[in-house]
Amino acid sequence: MEWLAIIVTMVVLWVASLFKILHESFSASQVEVLNDGSLLQPLIICLCEDVICTYYACQPVPQKQVKVLDHPDLQDGFGKSWNSKLLSKIIKEEIVNCAIDLVITFDNYGVSGHCNHQDVHQGVRELLQDTSHKEVEVWELVSTSILRKYTGPVDIWLSLLSAKFHLSGVVHCFLNEYPRRSLAAMAQHKSQWVWFRKLFVSFSSYTYVNCLRKID
C-alpha cells in the first residue's frame, strides 16, 4: 500500500506540474527581465558538425541568427578539451560583429559534467576578464543534482522555490511551455535519437524548466 501511495502521489504531481507548465504564460515577462523590457533576440552559436540537423533543431530562430562553427580545434567529445582563450576570441568576435549585449552559457559543471560544456563556461569567464566587455550581461544555466535531474516536470516547484530564495546572486526560472518542441528538436539529430535519449528528454527536468543565474 505504501508503494501504491507513492506512485499515486508521483502521478498526481507529474500531472499537476504539466498542467502548470502548459497553462501558464511566463515567457514574455521572463524574457523582458533579462533584457530591460525588450524581447531577447538570440544569436545561437552552434559548435557541431551536423549543419542541417542544427538548423532544424534551432527553428523557429531565423537562420541569420544561427552560426554553425565547425572548428578543427573545437570538436565534440569526452577527452577533447577546448582552449578557453580560443573560445573567448570566437565569442568576442560575435559580440562585436552582431552587437550582442547578453550571453547565456553553461555553469562550471555544465549540466552533465561534459568537458566541452565546462570549457565553454571557462571561455566565457575568460571573456569577462576583458574590461572592454563589462557592458555585456552573462547568465549561466544552473546545473541540478542527479536526483532532481530526472524528476521531469515535478522539478518546477523546487526550481521556482530555489530561484526565489537563492542567496548567491540573481536567478530567473523559465518554464518551457512547449516541451514537445524539445522532443521534436532533439529528434532532428537522427544519430543521437536512440531509445535512452528519448527517455532522457522525456524525464529530464531541463525539458520542462531551466534556471539562469547572472554572472557578475
Side-chain angles (χ1 to χ4, degrees), residues 147-160:
L147 292 177
R148 288 179 56 188
K149 188 175 181 179
Y150 295 107
T151 56
V154 177
D155 187 63
I156 67 170
W157 311 105
L158 288 173
S159 293
L160 289 169

Side-chain angles (χ1 to χ4, degrees), residues 30-36 102 104 137 139 172 174 212:
Q30 289 172 332
V31 171
E32 289 171 2
V33 168
L34 294 181
N35 209 34
D36 296 328
L102 187 149
I104 299 175
E137 277 192 31
W139 296 74
H172 291 295
F174 292 80
L212 298 181

Side-chain angles (χ1 to χ4, degrees), residues 26-206:
F26 289 156
S27 296
S29 61
Q30 289 172 332
V31 171
E32 289 171 2
V33 168
L34 294 181
N35 209 34
D36 296 328
S38 58
L39 291 178
L40 175 63
Q41 297 294 329
L43 171 77
I44 299 177
I45 305 176
C46 301
L47 300 170
C48 74
E49 300 177 16
D50 201 334
V51 177
I52 295 177
C53 286
T54 299
Y55 278 131
Y56 278 124
C58 289
Q59 291 178 349
V61 177
Q63 289 190 9
K64 66 180 181 180
Q65 291 176 244
V66 179
K67 178 171 181 177
V68 180
L69 180 65
D70 185 10
H71 195 287
D73 295 327
L74 300 174
Q75 297 299 304
D76 178 51
F78 282 101
K80 297 181 179 179
S81 61
W82 294 349
N83 185 283
S84 60
K85 293 188 181 299
L86 173 60
L87 286 166
S88 176
K89 177 177 179 292
I90 292 171
I91 297 169
K92 180 179 179 179
E93 289 173 354
E94 295 304 323
I95 286 175
V96 173
N97 294 338
C98 302
I100 294 171
D101 59 7
L102 187 149
V103 174
I104 299 175
T105 185
F106 294 103
D107 64 6
N108 58 359
Y109 182 69
V111 175
S112 62
H114 196 296
C115 59
N116 298 151
H117 297 179
Q118 296 170 352
D119 293 336
V120 171
H121 172 82
Q122 293 302 321
V124 174
R125 284 282 188 180
E126 187 93 20
L127 174 71
L128 287 176
Q129 295 178 10
D130 186 344
T131 56
S132 63
H133 294 291
K134 290 298 183 182
E135 73 282 1
V136 177
E137 277 192 31
V138 179
W139 296 74
E140 60 184 8
L141 176 62
V142 178
S143 298
T144 63
S145 67
I146 191 70
L147 292 177
R148 288 179 56 188
K149 188 175 181 179
Y150 295 107
T151 56
V154 177
D155 187 63
I156 67 170
W157 311 105
L158 288 173
S159 293
L160 289 169
L161 192 64
S162 174
K164 185 175 182 179
F165 298 104
H166 206 281
L167 300 178
S168 61
V170 180
V171 175
H172 291 295
C173 188
F174 292 80
L175 302 186
N176 180 9
E177 297 176 354
Y178 308 101
R180 288 185 179 180
R181 291 183 181 177
S182 299
L183 290 165
M186 190 64 190
Q188 299 300 324
H189 300 268
K190 302 300 183 182
S191 63
Q192 301 291 314
W193 198 230
V194 292
W195 68 268
F196 60 86
R197 274 211 178 79
K198 293 178 182 178
L199 288 175
F200 170 79
V201 178
S202 299
F203 287 91
S204 172
S205 59
Y206 293 102

